[in-house]
Amino acid sequence: MPASKTSVRNSNISPTLLESSNDDDVGHQEGLRVAKAYDVERTHSSDYILRSGFAGGLAGCAAKSIIAPLDRVKILFQTSSPEFAKYSGKRMGVWRAANKIYNQDGVLGLFQGHSATLLRIFPYAAIKFVVYEQIRSVLIARPEQETNVRRVLSGSLAGVTSVFFTYPLELIRVRLAYETRKDQRASFVRICKQILNEGKPAPSSTSPGRWIWNWRGLHNFYRGFSPTVLGMLPYAGVSFWTHDTIHDIFRSQLLAPYAVADGSASSDRHVPLTVWAQLTAGGLAGMVSQTASYPLEVVRRRMQVGGTLKEKKFPGIWTTARVIWLEHGFRGFFVGLTIGYIKVIPMVSCSFFVYERMKIVLGI
């Protein structure tokens, strides 16, 4: 048996993928690289899942940490916090709001709720990247299956899955960030109890309806979940699609010498882009996906803090959207979008960059 085919067989690469490699060395190497990029058996191994999950979790934590202050200001704007509404939409409003938080609570005030963010983001990002890799390997098992629809679907399903398992922590994070009272310190445990007890007064321990009340209390941790899922479909789907599409552009014959680490044009996702190219791909992915999903994000934030507003409660998506429309019109659905852009570009850039580099470090 020829040496080349022996080495290929020992590397557990699917023989069907090797038909595209030529007899010459260049074609053979390209065939190996393409085969590795679409090696389904390798992607589904437990070792790959654990390593990709760890890489994704670290990527998410790093990305969220660098934009935590902006994230808190954006939440206060989106939820129309009475103390910060006057800064929304104003010139230098973001800076003035951040400065007020700093003067009141110091540096820690800018990171209020960040511990809950990290607690949520590690499993969220880990699940998102793992599920994306797994679904992608099924929907896109061969180069000819690299279609826009399959890419968007892979990202959307990954985003929805990760949100389902981590949404209660997201709600707690938003409520911690929304807390601006000076008479008591924001507390993870206190916020959890507050969310659990929102609604009708608790029945007595002997009441036959106490179990129904307890279930309704747990249900409070998923307030705003519907718009989150609806928003995640375009956000995650468009994000991964844009990222992969920009990768394709950078790996083209024209840009590969400047954007690909080894300078060669190839569709092999295992060959990393240069630093500037990877950061650019991530930033554009975040900007496009943020624009597509932002109105639903505003609705979700308002629903999440509804229990803290005595005058207003938002039981559903359409009721919440109607209130936003009556209060602020069309622009109300894009309140804080400027902060979103400022935040999302470094966040998504960092997330994809750390993930891709961690995959190299971990050997996946």
Side-chain angles (χ1 to χ4, degrees):
M1 179 179 294
S4 61
K5 291 187 177 180
T6 302
S7 62
V8 169
R9 176 172 296 180
N10 290 337
S11 64
N12 294 323
I13 299 174
S14 174
T16 59
L17 294 173
L18 294 176
E19 295 176 359
S20 60
S21 59
N22 302 320
D23 294 334
D24 56 274
D25 292 339
V26 176
H28 176 67
Q29 291 299 324
E30 179 65 15
L32 290 177
R33 291 167 65 175
V34 172
K36 183 180 179 183
Y38 295 91
D39 186 4
V40 176
E41 182 178 350
R42 175 175 174 272
T43 304
H44 290 179
S45 68
S46 58
D47 180 70
Y48 187 97
I49 292 174
L50 291 175
R51 290 171 185 257
S52 61
F54 182 70
L58 288 182
C61 290
K64 277 293 187 179
S65 294
I66 66 174
I67 51 85
L70 282 172
D71 206 23
R72 191 185 180 204
V73 173
K74 191 186 78 165
I75 289 174
L76 291 171
F77 281 3
Q78 286 180 326
T79 53
S80 299
S81 172
E83 291 187 47
F84 293 88
K86 59 184 178 182
Y87 300 119
S88 179
K90 302 293 180 60
R91 186 176 182 181
M92 301 296 290
V94 176
W95 169 258
R96 292 168 63 187
N99 190 54
K100 179 177 180 178
I101 296 173
Y102 176 78
N103 291 333
Q104 287 182 346
D105 305 307
V107 175
L108 293 180
L110 295 171
F111 287 85
Q112 182 171 303
H114 189 55
S115 57
T117 297
L118 295 180
L119 184 63
R120 177 194 72 93
I121 201 62
F122 188 91
Y124 167 81
I127 293 172
K128 182 178 70 174
F129 279 108
V130 166
V131 174
Y132 174 72
E133 295 283 6
Q134 298 305 306
I135 293 178
R136 177 187 167 86
S137 67
V138 174
L139 297 181
I140 309 176
R142 297 184 301 277
E144 58 270 20
Q145 293 180 336
E146 286 277 3
T147 65
N148 294 330
V149 173
R150 290 173 184 265
R151 284 177 170 178
V152 171
L153 185 59
S154 297
S156 297
L157 293 177
V160 170
T161 302
S162 59
V163 165
F164 177 80
F165 287 103
T166 61
Y167 187 79
L169 290 171
E170 161 69 3
L171 177 62
I172 294 169
R173 177 187 74 91
V174 171
R175 296 291 282 269
L176 282 169
Y178 181 76
E179 188 69 55
T180 58
R181 295 176 58 181
K182 300 179 181 179
D183 57 337
Q184 57 182 340
R185 181 175 176 273
S187 166
F188 184 90
V189 175
R190 180 175 62 80
I191 291 296
C192 288
K193 291 181 178 179
Q194 179 181 328
I195 295 173
L196 186 65
N197 294 325
E198 285 172 356
K200 295 181 179 180
S204 64
S205 58
T206 58
S207 172
R210 66 183 185 278
W211 297 114
I212 297 177
W213 180 87
N214 287 336
W215 170 249
R216 292 180 64 180
L218 293 175
H219 183 266
N220 288 339
F221 285 95
Y222 278 86
R223 182 182 292 116
F225 182 70
S226 296
T228 300
V229 171
L230 293 177
M232 184 54 64
L233 290 172
Y235 181 81
V238 171
S239 179
F240 279 107
W241 168 75
T242 304
H243 179 262
D244 287 353
T245 300
I246 299 299
H247 265 239
D248 290 345
I249 296 174
F250 282 147
R251 295 178 190 280
S252 66
Q253 195 72 36
L254 179 63
L255 297 178
Y258 312 100
V260 181
D262 64 1
S264 63
S266 172
S267 61
D268 184 8
R269 298 168 68 235
H270 290 80
V271 178
L273 298 179
T274 57
V275 174
W276 76 266
Q278 182 61 68
L279 293 177
T280 300
L284 290 174
M287 185 172 63
V288 174
S289 59
Q290 181 81 345
T291 304
S293 62
Y294 198 79
L296 283 167
E297 183 178 346
V298 174
V299 173
R300 170 168 60 102
R301 297 298 191 203
R302 292 291 290 267
M303 291 179 68
Q304 286 175 332
V305 301
T308 66
L309 305 175
K310 295 181 180 180
E311 298 85 4
K312 304 172 184 176
K313 290 181 184 277
F314 307 113
I317 298 176
W318 298 113
T319 302
T320 306
R322 183 173 181 274
V323 171
I324 295 173
W325 175 267
L326 293 176
E327 288 181 349
H328 306 289
F330 181 77
R331 295 182 60 183
F333 293 100
F334 293 92
V335 171
L337 182 58
T338 301
I339 308 177
Y341 284 145
I342 297 173
K343 183 194 83 165
V344 82
I345 291 177
M347 183 186 73
V348 181
S349 292
C350 178
S351 178
F352 277 116
F353 178 80
V354 173
Y355 179 67
E356 295 295 339
R357 290 307 190 266
M358 283 302 301
K359 286 173 67 177
I360 297 174
V361 172
L362 297 175
I364 57 175

